[in-house]
Amino acid sequence: MRILVVGAGATGGYFGARLAEAGQDVTFLVRPQRAAILRERGLRITCLGEETVITPRLATAAELSAPYDLVLLSVKATALGQAIDDVAPAIGPQTAIVPFLNGMAHLETLNARFGAQPVLGGVAKLVTTLNADGDIVRLAPLATLTIGEQDGRPSARVDKIHSLLDDAGIDVSASADIVGAMWHKWVFITTVGALTCLMRGTVGDVVATPGGSGLGPAILAEAAAVSAAAGSPVPDDQLAAITATVTQAGSPFAPSMYRDVAHERPTEVEHVFADLVTRARTLSVGTPLLDLATLHLRVHQHRTADRALEHLGG
């Protein structure tokens, strides 16, 4: 299969590198600035005892001229519109598109642009970031993918993509309810994101404060209620696992959104938080804590946007 990985950041770069290492035909669609870094340094994965460097095959939007068999879409939600325009020449009648973005709005956007038939659902779980040099830094061993047809039916293409990813050593599973899996990850990331961003600390920092251990479960209850009202109740074992995560004493855990806030970088507030609370209103579900987190992150977004304009003006 000819594989196009859209984005060579902390998610797409990691899984794309694994496919390239396994000898798959992989091209990374990147912006010119990222292409320059990768041509100079290679695509590097570091930490957890690993030092991997590959020489990636790169393409920019202007260089796409023929369809690919498989497109793995792994960009920030804020870049989705441009990424869709860039990747359009690579989408043919037989192309399968597997997005690994947070929330649900991207699925609706892709369906509207390309039709639902080529678009699968996808969930990526890993803990990585990009350092100042543009290298991918692994912060924890977790690195899994889940894929599936939007309507939950078995399909030969899901089986084929699953085998391709599995043969590359990627921990991958196929789901008969990928939309539910996407909702359940959305519940997790909004819970941990709201907890750490509102309190400006790690899970351990929050839990160590009197009354702090009750905040995570309260936020989780709101997010889970929205998911249930949307038709995707979170299973009890997953609720228990998330509860354990947000109440663990001494835990250093904090999600990527918290790191973005701590380093004064923009966040995906509109796509992860605002979209969820908007759906909650439609479903008549109250979410006062998530509403507060959305407001907090919007203020942060406004502040970082103003600083970016000042930098451009200076």
Side-chain angles (χ1 to χ4, degrees), residues 299-313:
V299 171
H300 166 82
Q301 197 82 349
H302 178 74
R303 185 172 62 246
T304 55
D306 283 349
R307 288 179 180 175
L309 288 174
E310 289 173 4
H311 177 73
L312 290 173

Side-chain angles (χ1 to χ4, degrees), residues 22 24 29 32 35 65-66 74 87 118 121 153 169 217 240 245 251 274 282 298 301-302:
Q24 295 294 336
L29 176 62
S65 59
S74 57
V87 80
R153 61 183 170 84
T245 296
S251 170
T282 301
R298 279 176 161 166
Q301 197 82 349
H302 178 74

Side-chain angles (χ1 to χ4, degrees), residues 19-20 30 32-33 37 43 46 57 64-65 77 123 127 169 195-196 199 208 243 254 275 312 314:
L19 288 165
V30 291
Q33 184 177 5
I37 294 171
L43 180 54
T46 68
R57 182 186 301 131
L64 294 181
S65 59
V123 173
V127 189
L195 176 67
T196 57
M199 296 296 101
T243 300
D275 186 38
L312 290 173

Side-chain angles (χ1 to χ4, degrees), residues 123-177:
V123 173
K125 295 181 180 179
L126 73 165
V127 189
T128 54
T129 190
L130 292 183
N131 65 16
D133 293 322
D135 301 337
I136 298 169
V137 180
R138 296 189 70 188
L139 303 176
L142 177 68
T144 68
L145 295 178
T146 305
I147 62 172
E149 297 285 354
Q150 292 187 55
D151 61 7
R153 61 183 170 84
S155 74
R157 66 174 178 173
V158 167
D159 293 341
K160 187 174 182 179
I161 296 167
H162 180 279
S163 294
L164 180 147
L165 295 168
D166 184 61
D167 289 346
I170 294 171
D171 185 353
V172 59
S173 60
S175 173
D177 182 18

